[in-house]
Amino acid sequence: DTEVTQTPKHLVMGMTNKKSLKCEQHMGHRAMYWYKQKAKKPPELMFVYSYEKLSINESVPSRFSPECPNSSLLNLHLHALQPEDSALYLCASSPLGLAGGTGELFFGEGSRLTVL
Amino acid sequence: RKEVEQDPGPFNVPEGATVAFNCTYSNSASQSFFWYRQDCRKEPKLLMSVYSSGNEDGRFTAQLNRASQYISLLIRDSKLSDSATYLCVANTGGFKTIFGAGTRLFVKA
């Protein structure tokens, strides 16, 4: 069983909707991430939140916005998405933050998003 | 050139076979390396870290060659349950974690 919990597991939304994906980790990790994964492709990093600092992959469009209410929660707000945004959205955490990140990631089960 | 390159496969092997996956990385500043396993429509799960001295976990052996910028994973005595996609991962420090495209493995009875 994963200790990174994501909700919802499945989400279908229209292009004008506003929705949120939620992620919570219970391991005391100091870094949390959002990844996007299309079918038969590797995960692509979207955002990293660590020690109250947000790092953004500059290729991520502004219709995705992360929010970190505290060190164990990381939400992803979705607004005016496009059909090509349909994918598996994976939340992950890692035990080291700042320059100590090692790539040892613990993933949630993912939120499968379909944009109509 | 991709930063982390893997043979996409698929590898189709019988139960009990030994199978080896290879991976190369282009950034010589890469500091840490991992193999992840991903089942169909599931999340990636850390299989093992990879060290220069080589490391073994049961039927799985990982090797790193920094001079050649090459990583390998050997699976001995393959089981049906080993069928999955295996992702090679390199981290260059901080949060720059690069995933390879993955190698698909099918183990058949």
mmCIF file with all atom_site columns, all heavy atoms in Angstrom, chain A residues 33 37 42 98-99 101-105 107-109 112, chain B residues 32 34 36 38 41 43-44 46 91 94-95 97 99-100:
data_model
loop_
_atom_site.group_PDB
_atom_site.id
_atom_site.type_symbol
_atom_site.label_atom_id
_atom_site.label_alt_id
_atom_site.label_comp_id
_atom_site.label_asym_id
_atom_site.label_entity_id
_atom_site.label_seq_id
_atom_site.pdbx_PDB_ins_code
_atom_site.Cartn_x
_atom_site.Cartn_y
_atom_site.Cartn_z
_atom_site.occupancy
_atom_site.B_iso_or_equiv
_atom_site.pdbx_formal_charge
_atom_site.auth_seq_id
_atom_site.auth_comp_id
_atom_site.auth_asym_id
_atom_site.auth_atom_id
_atom_site.pdbx_PDB_model_num
ATOM 1   N N   . TYR A 1 33  ? 5.966  16.346 -5.344  1.00 0.00 ? 33  TYR A N   1
ATOM 2   C CA  . TYR A 1 33  ? 6.058  16.572 -6.785  1.00 0.00 ? 33  TYR A CA  1
ATOM 3   C C   . TYR A 1 33  ? 4.727  16.259 -7.467  1.00 0.00 ? 33  TYR A C   1
ATOM 4   O O   . TYR A 1 33  ? 3.982  15.403 -7.006  1.00 0.00 ? 33  TYR A O   1
ATOM 5   C CB  . TYR A 1 33  ? 7.087  15.620 -7.417  1.00 0.00 ? 33  TYR A CB  1
ATOM 6   C CG  . TYR A 1 33  ? 8.434  15.547 -6.743  1.00 0.00 ? 33  TYR A CG  1
ATOM 7   C CD1 . TYR A 1 33  ? 8.595  14.893 -5.528  1.00 0.00 ? 33  TYR A CD1 1
ATOM 8   C CD2 . TYR A 1 33  ? 9.556  16.116 -7.336  1.00 0.00 ? 33  TYR A CD2 1
ATOM 9   C CE1 . TYR A 1 33  ? 9.837  14.804 -4.909  1.00 0.00 ? 33  TYR A CE1 1
ATOM 10  C CE2 . TYR A 1 33  ? 10.809 16.028 -6.740  1.00 0.00 ? 33  TYR A CE2 1
ATOM 11  C CZ  . TYR A 1 33  ? 10.936 15.363 -5.528  1.00 0.00 ? 33  TYR A CZ  1
ATOM 12  O OH  . TYR A 1 33  ? 12.169 15.271 -4.935  1.00 0.00 ? 33  TYR A OH  1
ATOM 13  N N   . GLN A 1 37  ? 1.908  11.823 -16.841 1.00 0.00 ? 37  GLN A N   1
ATOM 14  C CA  . GLN A 1 37  ? 2.341  10.689 -17.641 1.00 0.00 ? 37  GLN A CA  1
ATOM 15  C C   . GLN A 1 37  ? 1.291  10.342 -18.690 1.00 0.00 ? 37  GLN A C   1
ATOM 16  O O   . GLN A 1 37  ? 0.155  10.004 -18.362 1.00 0.00 ? 37  GLN A O   1
ATOM 17  C CB  . GLN A 1 37  ? 2.634  9.472  -16.772 1.00 0.00 ? 37  GLN A CB  1
ATOM 18  C CG  . GLN A 1 37  ? 3.255  8.314  -17.558 1.00 0.00 ? 37  GLN A CG  1
ATOM 19  C CD  . GLN A 1 37  ? 3.668  7.145  -16.694 1.00 0.00 ? 37  GLN A CD  1
ATOM 20  O OE1 . GLN A 1 37  ? 3.102  6.904  -15.645 1.00 0.00 ? 37  GLN A OE1 1
ATOM 21  N NE2 . GLN A 1 37  ? 4.684  6.396  -17.143 1.00 0.00 ? 37  GLN A NE2 1
ATOM 22  N N   . PRO A 1 42  ? 7.327  8.112  -20.355 1.00 0.00 ? 42  PRO A N   1
ATOM 23  C CA  . PRO A 1 42  ? 7.774  8.234  -18.961 1.00 0.00 ? 42  PRO A CA  1
ATOM 24  C C   . PRO A 1 42  ? 7.109  9.420  -18.270 1.00 0.00 ? 42  PRO A C   1
ATOM 25  O O   . PRO A 1 42  ? 6.589  10.317 -18.942 1.00 0.00 ? 42  PRO A O   1
ATOM 26  C CB  . PRO A 1 42  ? 9.279  8.476  -19.107 1.00 0.00 ? 42  PRO A CB  1
ATOM 27  C CG  . PRO A 1 42  ? 9.432  9.114  -20.448 1.00 0.00 ? 42  PRO A CG  1
ATOM 28  C CD  . PRO A 1 42  ? 8.353  8.526  -21.319 1.00 0.00 ? 42  PRO A CD  1
ATOM 29  N N   . LEU A 1 98  ? 15.722 20.385 -1.120  1.00 0.00 ? 98  LEU A N   1
ATOM 30  C CA  . LEU A 1 98  ? 16.781 21.301 -1.542  1.00 0.00 ? 98  LEU A CA  1
ATOM 31  C C   . LEU A 1 98  ? 17.767 20.563 -2.433  1.00 0.00 ? 98  LEU A C   1
ATOM 32  O O   . LEU A 1 98  ? 17.390 19.794 -3.275  1.00 0.00 ? 98  LEU A O   1
ATOM 33  C CB  . LEU A 1 98  ? 17.474 21.914 -0.310  1.00 0.00 ? 98  LEU A CB  1
ATOM 34  C CG  . LEU A 1 98  ? 16.589 22.783 0.581   1.00 0.00 ? 98  LEU A CG  1
ATOM 35  C CD1 . LEU A 1 98  ? 17.296 23.247 1.810   1.00 0.00 ? 98  LEU A CD1 1
ATOM 36  C CD2 . LEU A 1 98  ? 16.032 23.943 -0.227  1.00 0.00 ? 98  LEU A CD2 1
ATOM 37  N N   . ALA A 1 99  ? 19.037 20.763 -2.244  1.00 0.00 ? 99  ALA A N   1
ATOM 38  C CA  . ALA A 1 99  ? 20.035 20.142 -3.111  1.00 0.00 ? 99  ALA A CA  1
ATOM 39  C C   . ALA A 1 99  ? 20.233 18.678 -2.778  1.00 0.00 ? 99  ALA A C   1
ATOM 40  O O   . ALA A 1 99  ? 20.972 17.980 -3.465  1.00 0.00 ? 99  ALA A O   1
ATOM 41  C CB  . ALA A 1 99  ? 21.351 20.887 -2.988  1.00 0.00 ? 99  ALA A CB  1
ATOM 42  N N   . GLY A 1 101 ? 18.041 16.332 -2.977  1.00 0.00 ? 101 GLY A N   1
ATOM 43  C CA  . GLY A 1 101 ? 17.138 15.413 -3.659  1.00 0.00 ? 101 GLY A CA  1
ATOM 44  C C   . GLY A 1 101 ? 17.912 14.341 -4.381  1.00 0.00 ? 101 GLY A C   1
ATOM 45  O O   . GLY A 1 101 ? 18.897 14.613 -5.051  1.00 0.00 ? 101 GLY A O   1
ATOM 46  N N   . THR A 1 102 ? 17.523 13.106 -4.264  1.00 0.00 ? 102 THR A N   1
ATOM 47  C CA  . THR A 1 102 ? 18.287 12.017 -4.857  1.00 0.00 ? 102 THR A CA  1
ATOM 48  C C   . THR A 1 102 ? 17.549 11.314 -5.990  1.00 0.00 ? 102 THR A C   1
ATOM 49  O O   . THR A 1 102 ? 18.121 10.487 -6.659  1.00 0.00 ? 102 THR A O   1
ATOM 50  C CB  . THR A 1 102 ? 18.594 10.936 -3.800  1.00 0.00 ? 102 THR A CB  1
ATOM 51  O OG1 . THR A 1 102 ? 17.356 10.352 -3.378  1.00 0.00 ? 102 THR A OG1 1
ATOM 52  C CG2 . THR A 1 102 ? 19.307 11.543 -2.607  1.00 0.00 ? 102 THR A CG2 1
ATOM 53  N N   . GLY A 1 103 ? 16.296 11.629 -6.178  1.00 0.00 ? 103 GLY A N   1
ATOM 54  C CA  . GLY A 1 103 ? 15.532 10.923 -7.186  1.00 0.00 ? 103 GLY A CA  1
ATOM 55  C C   . GLY A 1 103 ? 14.810 9.729  -6.640  1.00 0.00 ? 103 GLY A C   1
ATOM 56  O O   . GLY A 1 103 ? 14.139 9.018  -7.376  1.00 0.00 ? 103 GLY A O   1
ATOM 57  N N   . GLU A 1 104 ? 14.936 9.458  -5.323  1.00 0.00 ? 104 GLU A N   1
ATOM 58  C CA  . GLU A 1 104 ? 14.218 8.334  -4.735  1.00 0.00 ? 104 GLU A CA  1
ATOM 59  C C   . GLU A 1 104 ? 12.796 8.802  -4.468  1.00 0.00 ? 104 GLU A C   1
ATOM 60  O O   . GLU A 1 104 ? 12.535 9.492  -3.478  1.00 0.00 ? 104 GLU A O   1
ATOM 61  C CB  . GLU A 1 104 ? 14.905 7.910  -3.442  1.00 0.00 ? 104 GLU A CB  1
ATOM 62  C CG  . GLU A 1 104 ? 14.425 6.598  -2.874  1.00 0.00 ? 104 GLU A CG  1
ATOM 63  C CD  . GLU A 1 104 ? 15.264 6.184  -1.683  1.00 0.00 ? 104 GLU A CD  1
ATOM 64  O OE1 . GLU A 1 104 ? 16.306 5.553  -1.913  1.00 0.00 ? 104 GLU A OE1 1
ATOM 65  O OE2 . GLU A 1 104 ? 14.889 6.513  -0.557  1.00 0.00 ? 104 GLU A OE2 1
ATOM 66  N N   . LEU A 1 105 ? 11.923 8.455  -5.357  1.00 0.00 ? 105 LEU A N   1
ATOM 67  C CA  . LEU A 1 105 ? 10.562 8.974  -5.334  1.00 0.00 ? 105 LEU A CA  1
ATOM 68  C C   . LEU A 1 105 ? 9.572  7.906  -4.909  1.00 0.00 ? 105 LEU A C   1
ATOM 69  O O   . LEU A 1 105 ? 9.692  6.744  -5.294  1.00 0.00 ? 105 LEU A O   1
ATOM 70  C CB  . LEU A 1 105 ? 10.186 9.480  -6.729  1.00 0.00 ? 105 LEU A CB  1
ATOM 71  C CG  . LEU A 1 105 ? 11.030 10.620 -7.286  1.00 0.00 ? 105 LEU A CG  1
ATOM 72  C CD1 . LEU A 1 105 ? 10.764 10.801 -8.771  1.00 0.00 ? 105 LEU A CD1 1
ATOM 73  C CD2 . LEU A 1 105 ? 10.745 11.905 -6.540  1.00 0.00 ? 105 LEU A CD2 1
ATOM 74  N N   . PHE A 1 107 ? 5.628  7.265  -5.211  1.00 0.00 ? 107 PHE A N   1
ATOM 75  C CA  . PHE A 1 107 ? 4.480  7.747  -5.957  1.00 0.00 ? 107 PHE A CA  1
ATOM 76  C C   . PHE A 1 107 ? 3.168  7.326  -5.327  1.00 0.00 ? 107 PHE A C   1
ATOM 77  O O   . PHE A 1 107 ? 3.051  6.249  -4.728  1.00 0.00 ? 107 PHE A O   1
ATOM 78  C CB  . PHE A 1 107 ? 4.510  7.196  -7.388  1.00 0.00 ? 107 PHE A CB  1
ATOM 79  C CG  . PHE A 1 107 ? 5.532  7.833  -8.271  1.00 0.00 ? 107 PHE A CG  1
ATOM 80  C CD1 . PHE A 1 107 ? 6.807  7.307  -8.384  1.00 0.00 ? 107 PHE A CD1 1
ATOM 81  C CD2 . PHE A 1 107 ? 5.212  8.969  -9.008  1.00 0.00 ? 107 PHE A CD2 1
ATOM 82  C CE1 . PHE A 1 107 ? 7.747  7.894  -9.210  1.00 0.00 ? 107 PHE A CE1 1
ATOM 83  C CE2 . PHE A 1 107 ? 6.155  9.564  -9.835  1.00 0.00 ? 107 PHE A CE2 1
ATOM 84  C CZ  . PHE A 1 107 ? 7.422  9.027  -9.939  1.00 0.00 ? 107 PHE A CZ  1
ATOM 85  N N   . GLY A 1 108 ? 2.153  8.184  -5.497  1.00 0.00 ? 108 GLY A N   1
ATOM 86  C CA  . GLY A 1 108 ? 0.779  7.794  -5.245  1.00 0.00 ? 108 GLY A CA  1
ATOM 87  C C   . GLY A 1 108 ? 0.272  6.976  -6.430  1.00 0.00 ? 108 GLY A C   1
ATOM 88  O O   . GLY A 1 108 ? 0.959  6.818  -7.443  1.00 0.00 ? 108 GLY A O   1
ATOM 89  N N   . GLU A 1 109 ? -0.955 6.468  -6.290  1.00 0.00 ? 109 GLU A N   1
ATOM 90  C CA  . GLU A 1 109 ? -1.511 5.614  -7.341  1.00 0.00 ? 109 GLU A CA  1
ATOM 91  C C   . GLU A 1 109 ? -1.935 6.394  -8.583  1.00 0.00 ? 109 GLU A C   1
ATOM 92  O O   . GLU A 1 109 ? -2.224 5.809  -9.606  1.00 0.00 ? 109 GLU A O   1
ATOM 93  C CB  . GLU A 1 109 ? -2.692 4.819  -6.789  1.00 0.00 ? 109 GLU A CB  1
ATOM 94  C CG  . GLU A 1 109 ? -2.281 3.797  -5.738  1.00 0.00 ? 109 GLU A CG  1
ATOM 95  C CD  . GLU A 1 109 ? -3.447 2.986  -5.226  1.00 0.00 ? 109 GLU A CD  1
ATOM 96  O OE1 . GLU A 1 109 ? -4.610 3.323  -5.513  1.00 0.00 ? 109 GLU A OE1 1
ATOM 97  O OE2 . GLU A 1 109 ? -3.188 1.991  -4.526  1.00 0.00 ? 109 GLU A OE2 1
ATOM 98  N N   . ARG A 1 112 ? -6.337 9.628  -12.771 1.00 0.00 ? 112 ARG A N   1
ATOM 99  C CA  . ARG A 1 112 ? -6.478 9.518  -14.230 1.00 0.00 ? 112 ARG A CA  1
ATOM 100 C C   . ARG A 1 112 ? -7.489 10.559 -14.694 1.00 0.00 ? 112 ARG A C   1
ATOM 101 O O   . ARG A 1 112 ? -8.665 10.489 -14.344 1.00 0.00 ? 112 ARG A O   1
ATOM 102 C CB  . ARG A 1 112 ? -6.909 8.115  -14.629 1.00 0.00 ? 112 ARG A CB  1
ATOM 103 C CG  . ARG A 1 112 ? -6.793 7.864  -16.141 1.00 0.00 ? 112 ARG A CG  1
ATOM 104 C CD  . ARG A 1 112 ? -6.821 6.379  -16.476 1.00 0.00 ? 112 ARG A CD  1
ATOM 105 N NE  . ARG A 1 112 ? -5.702 5.649  -15.917 1.00 0.00 ? 112 ARG A NE  1
ATOM 106 C CZ  . ARG A 1 112 ? -4.488 5.613  -16.456 1.00 0.00 ? 112 ARG A CZ  1
ATOM 107 N NH1 . ARG A 1 112 ? -4.224 6.277  -17.548 1.00 0.00 ? 112 ARG A NH1 1
ATOM 108 N NH2 . ARG A 1 112 ? -3.534 4.894  -15.891 1.00 0.00 ? 112 ARG A NH2 1
ATOM 109 N N   . SER B 2 32  ? 22.932 10.210 -8.953  1.00 0.00 ? 32  SER B N   1
ATOM 110 C CA  . SER B 2 32  ? 22.323 9.008  -8.387  1.00 0.00 ? 32  SER B CA  1
ATOM 111 C C   . SER B 2 32  ? 21.413 8.370  -9.428  1.00 0.00 ? 32  SER B C   1
ATOM 112 O O   . SER B 2 32  ? 20.886 9.054  -10.316 1.00 0.00 ? 32  SER B O   1
ATOM 113 C CB  . SER B 2 32  ? 21.556 9.328  -7.102  1.00 0.00 ? 32  SER B CB  1
ATOM 114 O OG  . SER B 2 32  ? 20.660 10.376 -7.292  1.00 0.00 ? 32  SER B OG  1
ATOM 115 N N   . PHE B 2 34  ? 18.617 4.950  -10.429 1.00 0.00 ? 34  PHE B N   1
ATOM 116 C CA  . PHE B 2 34  ? 17.626 4.037  -9.874  1.00 0.00 ? 34  PHE B CA  1
ATOM 117 C C   . PHE B 2 34  ? 16.986 3.241  -10.986 1.00 0.00 ? 34  PHE B C   1
ATOM 118 O O   . PHE B 2 34  ? 16.958 3.671  -12.144 1.00 0.00 ? 34  PHE B O   1
ATOM 119 C CB  . PHE B 2 34  ? 16.514 4.824  -9.150  1.00 0.00 ? 34  PHE B CB  1
ATOM 120 C CG  . PHE B 2 34  ? 17.024 5.787  -8.120  1.00 0.00 ? 34  PHE B CG  1
ATOM 121 C CD1 . PHE B 2 34  ? 17.412 7.064  -8.470  1.00 0.00 ? 34  PHE B CD1 1
ATOM 122 C CD2 . PHE B 2 34  ? 17.118 5.411  -6.794  1.00 0.00 ? 34  PHE B CD2 1
ATOM 123 C CE1 . PHE B 2 34  ? 17.892 7.952  -7.528  1.00 0.00 ? 34  PHE B CE1 1
ATOM 124 C CE2 . PHE B 2 34  ? 17.599 6.286  -5.838  1.00 0.00 ? 34  PHE B CE2 1
ATOM 125 C CZ  . PHE B 2 34  ? 17.986 7.559  -6.208  1.00 0.00 ? 34  PHE B CZ  1
ATOM 126 N N   . TYR B 2 36  ? 13.123 1.764  -11.591 1.00 0.00 ? 36  TYR B N   1
ATOM 127 C CA  . TYR B 2 36  ? 11.745 1.721  -11.140 1.00 0.00 ? 36  TYR B CA  1
ATOM 128 C C   . TYR B 2 36  ? 11.017 0.674  -11.976 1.00 0.00 ? 36  TYR B C   1
ATOM 129 O O   . TYR B 2 36  ? 11.353 0.424  -13.133 1.00 0.00 ? 36  TYR B O   1
ATOM 130 C CB  . TYR B 2 36  ? 11.041 3.074  -11.339 1.00 0.00 ? 36  TYR B CB  1
ATOM 131 C CG  . TYR B 2 36  ? 11.379 4.117  -10.308 1.00 0.00 ? 36  TYR B CG  1
ATOM 132 C CD1 . TYR B 2 36  ? 12.621 4.761  -10.321 1.00 0.00 ? 36  TYR B CD1 1
ATOM 133 C CD2 . TYR B 2 36  ? 10.463 4.468  -9.312  1.00 0.00 ? 36  TYR B CD2 1
ATOM 134 C CE1 . TYR B 2 36  ? 12.929 5.720  -9.368  1.00 0.00 ? 36  TYR B CE1 1
ATOM 135 C CE2 . TYR B 2 36  ? 10.763 5.422  -8.365  1.00 0.00 ? 36  TYR B CE2 1
ATOM 136 C CZ  . TYR B 2 36  ? 11.995 6.037  -8.400  1.00 0.00 ? 36  TYR B CZ  1
ATOM 137 O OH  . TYR B 2 36  ? 12.298 6.996  -7.458  1.00 0.00 ? 36  TYR B OH  1
ATOM 138 N N   . GLN B 2 38  ? 7.098  -0.322 -13.339 1.00 0.00 ? 38  GLN B N   1
ATOM 139 C CA  . GLN B 2 38  ? 5.722  0.203  -13.481 1.00 0.00 ? 38  GLN B CA  1
ATOM 140 C C   . GLN B 2 38  ? 4.850  -0.850 -14.137 1.00 0.00 ? 38  GLN B C   1
ATOM 141 O O   . GLN B 2 38  ? 5.117  -1.266 -15.274 1.00 0.00 ? 38  GLN B O   1
ATOM 142 C CB  . GLN B 2 38  ? 5.699  1.506  -14.296 1.00 0.00 ? 38  GLN B CB  1
ATOM 143 C CG  . GLN B 2 38  ? 4.321  2.146  -14.321 1.00 0.00 ? 38  GLN B CG  1
ATOM 144 C CD  . GLN B 2 38  ? 4.323  3.554  -14.891 1.00 0.00 ? 38  GLN B CD  1
ATOM 145 O OE1 . GLN B 2 38  ? 5.199  3.929  -15.657 1.00 0.00 ? 38  GLN B OE1 1
ATOM 146 N NE2 . GLN B 2 38  ? 3.330  4.360  -14.503 1.00 0.00 ? 38  GLN B NE2 1
ATOM 147 N N   . ARG B 2 41  ? -0.949 0.669  -16.124 1.00 0.00 ? 41  ARG B N   1
ATOM 148 C CA  . ARG B 2 41  ? -1.937 1.568  -15.532 1.00 0.00 ? 41  ARG B CA  1
ATOM 149 C C   . ARG B 2 41  ? -1.760 1.742  -14.012 1.00 0.00 ? 41  ARG B C   1
ATOM 150 O O   . ARG B 2 41  ? -2.714 2.055  -13.301 1.00 0.00 ? 41  ARG B O   1
ATOM 151 C CB  . ARG B 2 41  ? -3.360 1.111  -15.854 1.00 0.00 ? 41  ARG B CB  1
ATOM 152 C CG  . ARG B 2 41  ? -3.629 1.093  -17.368 1.00 0.00 ? 41  ARG B CG  1
ATOM 153 C CD  . ARG B 2 41  ? -5.025 0.625  -17.692 1.00 0.00 ? 41  ARG B CD  1
ATOM 154 N NE  . ARG B 2 41  ? -6.051 1.575  -17.277 1.00 0.00 ? 41  ARG B NE  1
ATOM 155 C CZ  . ARG B 2 41  ? -6.409 2.650  -17.956 1.00 0.00 ? 41  ARG B CZ  1
ATOM 156 N NH1 . ARG B 2 41  ? -5.823 2.916  -19.111 1.00 0.00 ? 41  ARG B NH1 1
ATOM 157 N NH2 . ARG B 2 41  ? -7.358 3.450  -17.527 1.00 0.00 ? 41  ARG B NH2 1
ATOM 158 N N   . GLU B 2 43  ? 1.197  3.144  -10.777 1.00 0.00 ? 43  GLU B N   1
ATOM 159 C CA  . GLU B 2 43  ? 2.252  4.109  -10.572 1.00 0.00 ? 43  GLU B CA  1
ATOM 160 C C   . GLU B 2 43  ? 3.628  3.436  -10.600 1.00 0.00 ? 43  GLU B C   1
ATOM 161 O O   . GLU B 2 43  ? 3.748  2.237  -10.309 1.00 0.00 ? 43  GLU B O   1
ATOM 162 C CB  . GLU B 2 43  ? 2.053  4.829  -9.218  1.00 0.00 ? 43  GLU B CB  1
ATOM 163 C CG  . GLU B 2 43  ? 2.422  4.023  -7.975  1.00 0.00 ? 43  GLU B CG  1
ATOM 164 C CD  . GLU B 2 43  ? 1.345  3.087  -7.499  1.00 0.00 ? 43  GLU B CD  1
ATOM 165 O OE1 . GLU B 2 43  ? 0.403  2.773  -8.265  1.00 0.00 ? 43  GLU B OE1 1
ATOM 166 O OE2 . GLU B 2 43  ? 1.451  2.649  -6.336  1.00 0.00 ? 43  GLU B OE2 1
ATOM 167 N N   . PRO B 2 44  ? 4.689  4.179  -10.918 1.00 0.00 ? 44  PRO B N   1
ATOM 168 C CA  . PRO B 2 44  ? 6.043  3.613  -10.816 1.00 0.00 ? 44  PRO B CA  1
ATOM 169 C C   . PRO B 2 44  ? 6.382  3.321  -9.363  1.00 0.00 ? 44  PRO B C   1
ATOM 170 O O   . PRO B 2 44  ? 6.005  4.061  -8.461  1.00 0.00 ? 44  PRO B O   1
ATOM 171 C CB  . PRO B 2 44  ? 6.936  4.736  -11.367 1.00 0.00 ? 44  PRO B CB  1
ATOM 172 C CG  . PRO B 2 44  ? 6.028  5.666  -12.095 1.00 0.00 ? 44  PRO B CG  1
ATOM 173 C CD  . PRO B 2 44  ? 4.704  5.563  -11.402 1.00 0.00 ? 44  PRO B CD  1
ATOM 174 N N   . LEU B 2 46  ? 9.751  2.193  -6.848  1.00 0.00 ? 46  LEU B N   1
ATOM 175 C CA  . LEU B 2 46  ? 11.198 2.052  -6.775  1.00 0.00 ? 46  LEU B CA  1
ATOM 176 C C   . LEU B 2 46  ? 11.567 0.583  -6.633  1.00 0.00 ? 46  LEU B C   1
ATOM 177 O O   . LEU B 2 46  ? 11.104 -0.098 -5.718  1.00 0.00 ? 46  LEU B O   1
ATOM 178 C CB  . LEU B 2 46  ? 11.736 2.859  -5.592  1.00 0.00 ? 46  LEU B CB  1
ATOM 179 C CG  . LEU B 2 46  ? 13.241 2.817  -5.387  1.00 0.00 ? 46  LEU B CG  1
ATOM 180 C CD1 . LEU B 2 46  ? 13.965 3.462  -6.555  1.00 0.00 ? 46  LEU B CD1 1
ATOM 181 C CD2 . LEU B 2 46  ? 13.612 3.518  -4.077  1.00 0.00 ? 46  LEU B CD2 1
ATOM 182 N N   . ASN B 2 91  ? 19.474 11.104 -11.603 1.00 0.00 ? 91  ASN B N   1
ATOM 183 C CA  . ASN B 2 91  ? 19.253 12.385 -10.917 1.00 0.00 ? 91  ASN B CA  1
ATOM 184 C C   . ASN B 2 91  ? 20.546 13.181 -10.925 1.00 0.00 ? 91  ASN B C   1
ATOM 185 O O   . ASN B 2 91  ? 21.602 12.672 -10.553 1.00 0.00 ? 91  ASN B O   1
ATOM 186 C CB  . ASN B 2 91  ? 18.781 12.126 -9.485  1.00 0.00 ? 91  ASN B CB  1
ATOM 187 C CG  . ASN B 2 91  ? 18.569 13.415 -8.717  1.00 0.00 ? 91  ASN B CG  1
ATOM 188 O OD1 . ASN B 2 91  ? 19.514 13.948 -8.129  1.00 0.00 ? 91  ASN B OD1 1
ATOM 189 N ND2 . ASN B 2 91  ? 17.366 13.922 -8.722  1.00 0.00 ? 91  ASN B ND2 1
ATOM 190 N N   . GLY B 2 94  ? 19.599 17.994 -6.747  1.00 0.00 ? 94  GLY B N   1
ATOM 191 C CA  . GLY B 2 94  ? 18.375 18.770 -6.619  1.00 0.00 ? 94  GLY B CA  1
ATOM 192 C C   . GLY B 2 94  ? 17.187 17.937 -7.059  1.00 0.00 ? 94  GLY B C   1
ATOM 193 O O   . GLY B 2 94  ? 17.096 16.759 -6.742  1.00 0.00 ? 94  GLY B O   1
ATOM 194 N N   . PHE B 2 95  ? 16.311 18.511 -7.849  1.00 0.00 ? 95  PHE B N   1
ATOM 195 C CA  . PHE B 2 95  ? 15.086 17.810 -8.224  1.00 0.00 ? 95  PHE B CA  1
ATOM 196 C C   . PHE B 2 95  ? 15.082 17.394 -9.683  1.00 0.00 ? 95  PHE B C   1
ATOM 197 O O   . PHE B 2 95  ? 14.057 16.996 -10.195 1.00 0.00 ? 95  PHE B O   1
ATOM 198 C CB  . PHE B 2 95  ? 13.881 18.711 -7.936  1.00 0.00 ? 95  PHE B CB  1
ATOM 199 C CG  . PHE B 2 95  ? 13.857 19.165 -6.515  1.00 0.00 ? 95  PHE B CG  1
ATOM 200 C CD1 . PHE B 2 95  ? 14.116 20.474 -6.179  1.00 0.00 ? 95  PHE B CD1 1
ATOM 201 C CD2 . PHE B 2 95  ? 13.623 18.261 -5.502  1.00 0.00 ? 95  PHE B CD2 1
ATOM 202 C CE1 . PHE B 2 95  ? 14.121 20.878 -4.858  1.00 0.00 ? 95  PHE B CE1 1
ATOM 203 C CE2 . PHE B 2 95  ? 13.626 18.656 -4.175  1.00 0.00 ? 95  PHE B CE2 1
ATOM 204 C CZ  . PHE B 2 95  ? 13.875 19.965 -3.854  1.00 0.00 ? 95  PHE B CZ  1
ATOM 205 N N   . THR B 2 97  ? 15.255 14.969 -11.897 1.00 0.00 ? 97  THR B N   1
ATOM 206 C CA  . THR B 2 97  ? 15.200 13.517 -12.018 1.00 0.00 ? 97  THR B CA  1
ATOM 207 C C   . THR B 2 97  ? 14.677 13.183 -13.402 1.00 0.00 ? 97  THR B C   1
ATOM 208 O O   . THR B 2 97  ? 13.577 13.587 -13.759 1.00 0.00 ? 97  THR B O   1
ATOM 209 C CB  . THR B 2 97  ? 14.280 12.928 -10.943 1.00 0.00 ? 97  THR B CB  1
ATOM 210 O OG1 . THR B 2 97  ? 14.834 13.221 -9.657  1.00 0.00 ? 97  THR B OG1 1
ATOM 211 C CG2 . THR B 2 97  ? 14.158 11.425 -11.111 1.00 0.00 ? 97  THR B CG2 1
ATOM 212 N N   . PHE B 2 99  ? 13.637 10.415 -16.240 1.00 0.00 ? 99  PHE B N   1
ATOM 213 C CA  . PHE B 2 99  ? 13.208 9.038  -16.489 1.00 0.00 ? 99  PHE B CA  1
ATOM 214 C C   . PHE B 2 99  ? 13.535 8.648  -17.924 1.00 0.00 ? 99  PHE B C   1
ATOM 215 O O   . PHE B 2 99  ? 13.313 9.424  -18.849 1.00 0.00 ? 99  PHE B O   1
ATOM 216 C CB  . PHE B 2 99  ? 11.694 8.916  -16.292 1.00 0.00 ? 99  PHE B CB  1
ATOM 217 C CG  . PHE B 2 99  ? 11.257 8.887  -14.857 1.00 0.00 ? 99  PHE B CG  1
ATOM 218 C CD1 . PHE B 2 99  ? 11.174 10.049 -14.106 1.00 0.00 ? 99  PHE B CD1 1
ATOM 219 C CD2 . PHE B 2 99  ? 10.913 7.696  -14.248 1.00 0.00 ? 99  PHE B CD2 1
ATOM 220 C CE1 . PHE B 2 99  ? 10.757 10.029 -12.786 1.00 0.00 ? 99  PHE B CE1 1
ATOM 221 C CE2 . PHE B 2 99  ? 10.492 7.656  -12.925 1.00 0.00 ? 99  PHE B CE2 1
ATOM 222 C CZ  . PHE B 2 99  ? 10.424 8.823  -12.196 1.00 0.00 ? 99  PHE B CZ  1
ATOM 223 N N   . GLY B 2 100 ? 14.027 7.430  -18.089 1.00 0.00 ? 100 GLY B N   1
ATOM 224 C CA  . GLY B 2 100 ? 14.086 6.853  -19.420 1.00 0.00 ? 100 GLY B CA  1
ATOM 225 C C   . GLY B 2 100 ? 12.687 6.481  -19.867 1.00 0.00 ? 100 GLY B C   1
ATOM 226 O O   . GLY B 2 100 ? 11.739 6.493  -19.076 1.00 0.00 ? 100 GLY B O   1
#
